[in-house]
């Protein structure tokens, strides 16, 4: 390609981009149906963008996301179970290594934080970790659904719904309490109740972290001027970081508190008080 | 009433639905994925532990055998040394016995030779005496048969001739 032809090609390409950009701002679009405040409020509360669950009840879109994530994970697990696990070898391949790393990571997390009782904990943190990680990445897919009010919307992460975050936070707390009761009977309940703020902190940490990502995305997409390049950073990178961090934080906290309350402490022998004779 | 008026759109029904969904997911993942993979990993771990144990056992048995062989080798060397000492002792005793035998034989030969020499000496002396007696008797006969002077001269001549022969 000659130098002259190269210059012409580049000029046409850049000119096209400039013209299209100019047209985007010149041509009037539909007027926004809701203000930024309303958009943000709806992203947090989901008071208007409800979705019908099989025509029975209207639910938040996060619940639908939760169901879809569960189906995806269970189908994936079934495929792995049927087609891959029977072919597992002692010297693993790449995919086998990935699966074993995931299982081994959560198993080690449970064993290192709760050395005494960890069988149920490892299974729980594996499930919770998979749900949070895949659920957070799920918002990147942006599956479109139609709300009951007729508005089209992309499905958010399941845990950006406060009900989902409360469910996971409280269930984790119950799991910790169950571990305490199993290991220390009634004393385990007391040990767990000592951390009474745990379910709230766990729930709202998850909710806040995931909602913040959602809100930033909503904010960016609300304004046309911010819709170039920036979504790649705030949408993809933040979501990836969220997925990793939140998975690690919740599973780590659950394992840590589970290990603390399920630790069997030796009973202290009561020392006989000897009355000192004066 | 208390459950119905919660802010932030918190809905107990939806919380329970989320919970149900999550419990199904955790249970499903445990039975379908986590447990089989964990079992496989445990099986592999046990396999390698078994291999490791076998290797350690084999190593220890090899070391035992090596020790046993070294002990046997040491015993054999000791035995060889003992046999060498015994053989050298035996050789020495045999040598002594042979020497004694040779000594005895030599003494016997010497004594036999001495006896033979004695006998030869006696024999010579006897024969010399006999010869002297014969010469004397012959001389006497000659004396008796011829004159007295001639007889004496002959006797002297004969005696001197025999003396010369005896000294030669």
């Amino acid at each position: 390609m000659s130098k002259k032809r190269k210059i012409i090609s580049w000029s046409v390409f850049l000119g096209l981009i400039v013209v299209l950009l100019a047209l985007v701002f010149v041509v009037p679009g539909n007027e926004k149906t809701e203000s930024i405040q309303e958009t943000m409020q709806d992203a947090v509360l989901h008071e208007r963008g409800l979705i019908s669950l099989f025509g029975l009840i209207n639910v938040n879109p996060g619940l639908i996301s939760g169901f879809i994530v569960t189906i995806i994970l269970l189908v994936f697990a079934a495929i792995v179970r049927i087609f891959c696990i029977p072919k597992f070898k002692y010297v693993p391949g790449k995919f086998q290594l990935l699966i074993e790393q995931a299982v081994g990571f959560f198993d080690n997390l449970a064993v290192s934080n709760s050395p005494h009782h960890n069988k149920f904990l490892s299974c729980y943190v594996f499930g919770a970790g998979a749900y949070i990680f895949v659920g957070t990445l799920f918002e990147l897919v942006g599956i479109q659904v139609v709300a009951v009010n007729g508005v089209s919307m992309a499905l958010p992460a399941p845990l950006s719904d406060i009900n989902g975050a409360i469910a996971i936070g409280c269930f984790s707390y119950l799991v910790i309490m169950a571990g305490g009761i199993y290991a220390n009977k009634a004393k385990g309940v007391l040990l767990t109740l000592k951390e009474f703020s745990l379910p709230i902190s766990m729930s709202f940490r998850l909710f806040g972290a995931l909602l913040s990502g959602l809100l930033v995305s909503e904010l960016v997409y609300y304004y046309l001027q911010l819709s170039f390049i920036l979504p790649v950073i705030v949408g993809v990178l933040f979501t990836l970081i969220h997925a990793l961090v939140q998975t690690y934080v919740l599973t780590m906290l659950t394992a840590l508190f589970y290990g603390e309350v399920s630790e069997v402490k030796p009973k202290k022998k009561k020392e006989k008080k000897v009355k000192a004779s004066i | 009433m208390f459950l119905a008026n919660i802010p932030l759109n918190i809905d107990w029904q939806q919380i329970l639905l989320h919970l149900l969904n999550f419990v199904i997911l955790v249970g499903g993942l445990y039975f379908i994925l986590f447990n089989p993979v964990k079992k496989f990993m445990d099986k592999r771990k046990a396999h390698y532990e078994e291999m490791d144990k076998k290797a350690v056992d084999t190593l220890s048995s090899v070391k035992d055998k090596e020790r046993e062989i070294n002990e046997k080798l040491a015993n054999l060397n000791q035995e060889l040394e003992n046999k060498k000492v015994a053989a050298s002792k035996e050789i020495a005793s045999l040598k002594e016995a042979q020497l004694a035998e040779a000594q005895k034989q030599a003494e016997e030969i010497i004594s036999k030779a001495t006896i033979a020499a004695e006998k030869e000496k006696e024999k010579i002396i006897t024969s010399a005496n006999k010869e002297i007696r014969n010469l004397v008797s012959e001389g006497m006969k000659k004396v008796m048969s011829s004159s007295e002077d001639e007889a004496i001269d002959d006797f002297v001549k004969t005696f001197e001739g025999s003396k010369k022969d005896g000294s030669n």
Side-chain angles (χ1 to χ4, degrees):
Chain A
M1 192 184 277
S2 66
K3 198 178 175 184
K4 193 181 174 185
R5 201 165 174 180
K6 218 179 214 178
I7 292 167
I8 292 168
S9 301
W10 272 104
S11 305
V12 169
F13 176 65
L14 291 172
L16 199 64
I17 288 173
V18 170
V19 169
L20 284 172
L21 268 174
L23 283 173
V24 164
F25 290 108
V26 170
V27 175
N30 290 333
E31 283 186 17
K32 292 189 186 302
T33 52
E34 55 185 3
S35 65
I36 180 69
Q37 288 84 359
E38 284 171 335
T39 306
M40 299 293 243
Q41 192 178 349
D42 193 44
V44 178
L45 301 176
H46 303 291
E47 282 171 335
R48 286 179 296 167
L50 294 174
I51 293 168
S52 175
L53 182 68
F54 307 119
L56 299 170
I57 49 168
N58 293 336
V59 294
N60 294 345
L63 184 61
I64 305 295
S65 303
F67 288 153
I68 293 172
V69 167
T70 299
I71 291 167
I72 290 169
L73 280 171
L74 290 180
V75 169
F76 172 76
I79 289 168
V80 172
R81 177 73 187 89
I82 295 165
F83 297 110
C84 300
I85 292 178
K87 291 177 187 170
F88 271 14
K89 291 170 186 169
Y90 282 162
V91 180
K94 284 175 188 170
F95 182 70
Q96 184 185 337
L97 199 64
L98 186 76
I99 299 287
E100 284 184 10
Q101 277 293 316
V103 171
F105 173 76
F106 290 110
D107 191 47
N108 286 339
L109 189 75
V111 172
S112 58
N113 284 295
S114 175
H116 309 287
H117 307 279
N118 49 46
K119 200 180 173 191
F120 176 67
L121 179 66
S122 58
C123 139
Y124 176 76
V125 289
F126 178 74
Y131 185 62
I132 296 168
F133 185 73
V134 178
T136 309
L137 291 182
F138 177 76
E139 74 177 9
L140 287 177
V141 182
I143 294 174
Q144 294 291 313
V145 286
V146 179
V148 285
N149 59 2
V151 176
S152 172
M153 61 190 302
L155 283 176
L159 297 172
S160 65
D161 178 4
I162 192 165
N163 297 317
I166 288 173
I168 301 284
C170 292
F171 191 59
S172 297
Y173 186 70
L174 288 176
V175 166
I176 291 166
M177 186 180 272
I181 292 169
Y182 180 76
N184 290 317
K185 306 290 180 288
K187 198 183 168 190
V189 181
L190 293 174
L191 283 169
T192 317
L193 286 175
K194 197 172 73 177
E195 308 287 344
F196 64 92
S197 63
L198 199 60
I200 301 164
S201 68
M202 275 181 153
S203 306
F204 283 87
R205 181 182 290 112
L206 261 180
F207 176 61
L210 291 167
L211 188 72
S212 61
L214 183 76
L215 290 179
V216 171
S217 301
E218 287 283 345
L219 192 66
V220 167
Y221 285 118
Y222 187 83
Y223 297 106
L224 185 67
Q225 292 85 344
L226 297 173
S227 300
F228 304 98
I229 303 170
L230 205 56
V232 177
I233 299 163
V234 296
V236 180
L237 292 184
F238 283 7
T239 307
L240 279 171
I241 292 166
H242 268 314
L244 286 171
V245 171
Q246 292 312 313
T247 302
Y248 185 69
V249 168
L250 187 115
T251 52
M252 182 64 164
L253 282 176
T254 308
L256 204 67
F257 283 106
Y258 189 98
E260 198 178 311
V261 299
S262 66
E263 186 185 356
V264 182
K265 288 168 186 166
K267 289 177 182 175
K268 287 179 184 174
K269 286 180 182 177
K270 287 181 181 176
E271 291 175 6
K272 288 179 182 177
K273 288 180 181 176
V274 182
K275 289 181 181 177
S277 56
I278 302 167
Chain B
M1 289 297 283
F2 166 73
L3 293 175
N5 297 320
I6 302 174
L8 291 171
N9 196 21
I10 293 171
D11 184 348
W12 295 106
Q13 194 181 30
Q14 288 193 46
I15 289 173
L16 288 174
L17 280 169
H18 269 289
L19 213 55
L20 176 73
N21 175 47
F22 184 58
V23 169
I24 290 170
L25 176 71
V26 170
L29 279 183
Y30 174 71
F31 288 113
I32 300 171
L33 190 65
F34 184 81
N35 204 27
V37 174
K38 184 91 187 352
K39 270 185 185 169
F40 175 81
M41 287 164 75
D42 290 343
K43 191 178 148 192
R44 180 175 57 196
K45 193 180 169 191
H47 171 76
Y48 283 120
E49 277 176 355
E50 182 70 23
M51 271 178 74
D52 192 43
K53 197 185 162 196
K54 270 185 187 172
V56 169
D57 288 349
T58 312
L59 198 68
S60 70
S61 74
V62 165
K63 277 185 180 172
D64 285 348
K65 278 190 179 170
E66 193 185 356
R67 202 181 306 121
E68 205 176 303
I69 286 166
N70 283 338
E71 277 174 13
K72 275 185 181 174
L73 210 62
N75 288 342
L76 277 175
N77 283 337
Q78 186 64 37
E79 206 174 326
L80 204 65
E81 200 66 31
N82 292 343
K83 282 195 173 174
K84 265 185 188 173
V85 171
S88 63
K89 274 182 184 173
E90 201 177 331
I91 286 166
S93 67
L94 273 173
K95 201 174 164 185
E96 274 177 17
Q98 277 183 352
L99 208 65
E101 183 73 19
Q103 192 81 24
K104 195 181 166 186
Q105 279 179 359
E107 278 172 5
E108 273 177 13
I109 288 164
I110 287 167
S111 67
K112 275 180 186 172
T114 310
I115 291 164
E118 284 293 324
K119 275 182 183 174
E120 192 67 24
K121 189 183 170 186
E122 277 178 15
K123 196 177 169 184
I124 289 166
I125 289 168
T126 310
S127 69
N129 285 340
K130 195 177 174 181
E131 206 173 330
I132 289 166
R133 255 194 320 273
N134 288 339
L135 283 172
V136 170
S137 64
E138 214 172 297
M140 285 300 285
K141 277 177 189 172
K142 280 181 179 175
V143 168
M144 291 293 279
S145 60
S146 63
S147 62
E148 198 177 318
D149 293 329
E150 284 176 350
I152 290 168
D153 290 335
D154 288 343
F155 173 73
V156 170
K157 282 176 184 173
T158 309
F159 185 74
E160 280 176 350
S162 67
K163 201 177 175 182
K164 279 178 184 173
D165 291 339
S167 67
N168 289 334

